[in-house]
Amino acid sequence: MKRRSFLRRATLSTLVAGTVAPRLAQGHPAFPSFRKTDGPVILSTWAHGVEANAEAWRILEEGGSVLDAVEKGVMVTEADPKNQSVGIGGLPDRDGRVTLDASIMGPDGNCGSVVYLEHIKHPICVARKVMEDTPHVMMAGEGALALALDMGMEKENLLTEDSEKAWKKWLEKSQYKPIINIENHDTIGLLAIDDNGDIAGACTTSGLAYKMNGRVGDSPIIGSGLYVDNAVGGAVCTGLGEEVIKSVASFLAVEKMRDGASPQEACQIAIDRIMEKSPHYKDFQVGIIALNKSGEIGSYAIHPYFNYAHHTVQENVLIDSKSAL
C-alpha cells in the first residue's frame, strides 16, 4: 500500500470511528486512544522500550522492513547486561541457569519462537530463523541452541556478576513469589506499524526470576504473549505468564479489535478476563499493550506502575498505563 493511500485510509477510519458508540470493557470508563497523525508507530513495554523504539525507528527510516524493525528493536534490550529480565544478565532460574524465551510474528501471519534457550543472548534472532528457515513454529532447548550455532551465533555465559550475586542472595531463603513491582517485569514486547500499514511484533524474556528449571511463560507462545493479525492489529503482554496463557490474552485483544473495539477497550477486556478467571489477581501483575491498523494504541494492567514507550514522528515517550486497581 502506498504511503498516501495509507494515510488517507487512516484518516477515514478515524472519522468513521468517531460516529460509532464505543464498546467498553464492563465497569470501566472510556480512556481515549492515542492516534497517529503521520508516519510509523512503535509501541513497547516498560522504560527499556524507549531505547528499543529508537532503534526500531532507525531501521524503518533506513528502509528496513517492519519485521527487521521489531527484531532489531528488542535486540537492544537483549544485549543490555544491566537489564535483569531480558537476554544477557537475565536473572536465572533457581538452579542458576539463564534460560531465554522469545517470539516474533510478521505481517504475513508467519511466526516463530524459541523456548528454554541457553547461552545465546539474542533469542529473538533464533526465533526469526525458526520462522523463516524451518518448517516449524517453535523450537526448544538443545535443538534451538543447535540452530543458533548453525546460524554462526556464539555461546556466551549469560549469567553476569550482578545477576549471580542476586541469585546467591536469593538462595539464602529460596522463597519464590511473583513480586508486584516495576523491577519484576521480565519482558520486552514491541509492536510496530510502518508507512505501508504493515504490522509486526516481537517479545523476548529471561522469564520470572528463580523459576523452577524448565518453566516457560507466555512470551514464546503465539496468541498468549504476542499476537499479530495484519488485517486488524497486534497485542503483547507482560507479567505473570501463567495467567496470560490461561486467557490467551494477546489473541483475545486482537479479536476484540476485529469486532470493533479500540485498542484501549481491547486491552481492558483482556485484563478483565484475566481477573475474572483468577481469584488471586491482587497477588500478581499483568500488563498489555495493543496497536491497530489505524495506528491507535492502548494499554492496561491489573496494578499501577506498568508503563510503555510510544514512538511517533512527533516524539518517543514513556507513558504510565491505566490500571484496574
Side-chain angles (χ1 to χ4, degrees):
M1 181 183 296
K2 299 295 185 182
R3 173 184 173 87
R4 185 175 301 170
S5 298
F6 168 57
L7 296 177
R8 184 168 58 248
R9 186 200 59 187
T11 302
L12 178 60
S13 63
T14 298
L15 292 173
V16 171
T19 66
V20 179
R23 302 199 291 177
L24 302 177
Q26 187 175 3
H28 293 289
F31 299 125
S33 294
F34 291 83
R35 298 179 185 273
K36 76 195 278 323
T37 55
D38 189 15
V41 173
I42 302 172
L43 188 66
S44 59
T45 57
W46 302 107
H48 51 218
V50 174
E51 292 183 353
N53 283 2
E55 178 63 11
W57 191 270
R58 184 187 69 80
I59 296 297
L60 291 178
E61 281 190 323
E62 294 181 356
S65 70
V66 70
L67 194 61
D68 293 336
V70 299
E71 178 189 22
K72 298 296 184 183
V74 300
M75 285 175 66
V76 172
T77 313
E78 288 179 333
D80 181 1
K82 297 299 183 183
N83 184 306
Q84 293 185 305
S85 61
V86 179
I88 189 169
L91 291 171
D93 62 24
R94 59 186 56 188
D95 297 332
R97 300 169 71 170
V98 179
T99 62
L100 308 179
D101 305 324
S103 63
I104 192 167
M105 196 165 187
D108 61 356
N110 203 7
C111 53
S113 74
V114 291
V115 302
Y116 198 72
L117 177 63
E118 296 184 85
H119 311 302
I120 302 295
K121 72 180 177 184
H122 288 304
I124 196 65
C125 300
V126 190
R128 184 169 180 177
K129 183 74 171 180
V130 172
M131 177 179 72
E132 294 182 333
D133 294 336
T134 81
H136 309 305
V137 168
M138 181 181 292
M139 294 185 67
E142 292 183 1
L145 175 60
L147 181 64
L149 297 177
D150 286 344
M151 294 169 60
M153 302 179 79
E154 295 184 359
K155 292 177 68 173
E156 299 182 50
N157 176 19
L158 303 182
L159 186 62
T160 60
E161 182 178 348
D162 287 343
S163 291
E164 185 175 17
K165 285 181 179 178
W167 168 61
K168 288 181 177 178
K169 178 69 175 177
W170 176 84
L171 284 175
E172 293 175 7
K173 294 185 178 179
S174 298
Q175 294 178 344
Y176 174 75
K177 182 180 180 181
I179 302 170
I180 302 169
N181 63 17
I182 201 167
E183 290 80 21
N184 196 38
H185 42 72
D186 73 275
T187 305
I188 181 169
L190 189 150
L191 302 166
I193 184 169
D194 65 12
D195 275 337
N196 298 318
D198 288 327
I199 302 174
C203 188
T204 179
T205 183
S206 58
L208 287 172
Y210 320 127
K211 61 198 175 189
M212 293 178 65
N213 183 270
R215 179 264 187 187
V216 175
D218 64 303
S219 297
I221 300 176
I222 302 300
S224 291
L226 169 71
Y227 193 72
V228 171
D229 186 320
N230 203 43
V232 180
V236 67
C237 293
T238 180
L240 187 59
E242 283 78 0
E243 301 301 328
V244 176
I245 292 169
K246 293 172 187 176
S247 296
V248 200
S250 62
F251 178 78
L252 173 62
V254 173
E255 288 304 291
K256 291 302 179 181
M257 288 192 289
R258 189 191 309 278
D259 290 341
S262 72
Q264 183 62 49
E265 293 160 1
C267 288
Q268 291 174 213
I269 291 167
I271 293 298
D272 280 350
R273 182 72 59 83
I274 290 171
M275 293 169 66
E276 288 167 4
K277 284 183 171 292
S278 175
H280 307 294
Y281 64 84
K282 291 184 179 180
D283 297 330
F284 62 83
Q285 171 72 307
V286 173
I288 183 170
I289 57 174
L291 168 72
N292 71 9
K293 287 288 281 187
S294 296
E296 296 175 316
I297 69 168
S299 74
Y300 208 58
I302 298 175
H303 295 271
Y305 311 118
F306 170 51
N307 52 29
Y308 60 94
H310 182 210
H311 199 322
T312 64
V313 292
Q314 288 82 22
E315 57 188 357
N316 182 19
V317 293
L318 187 66
I319 301 171
D320 291 330
S321 177
K322 300 289 185 177
S323 63
L325 302 180

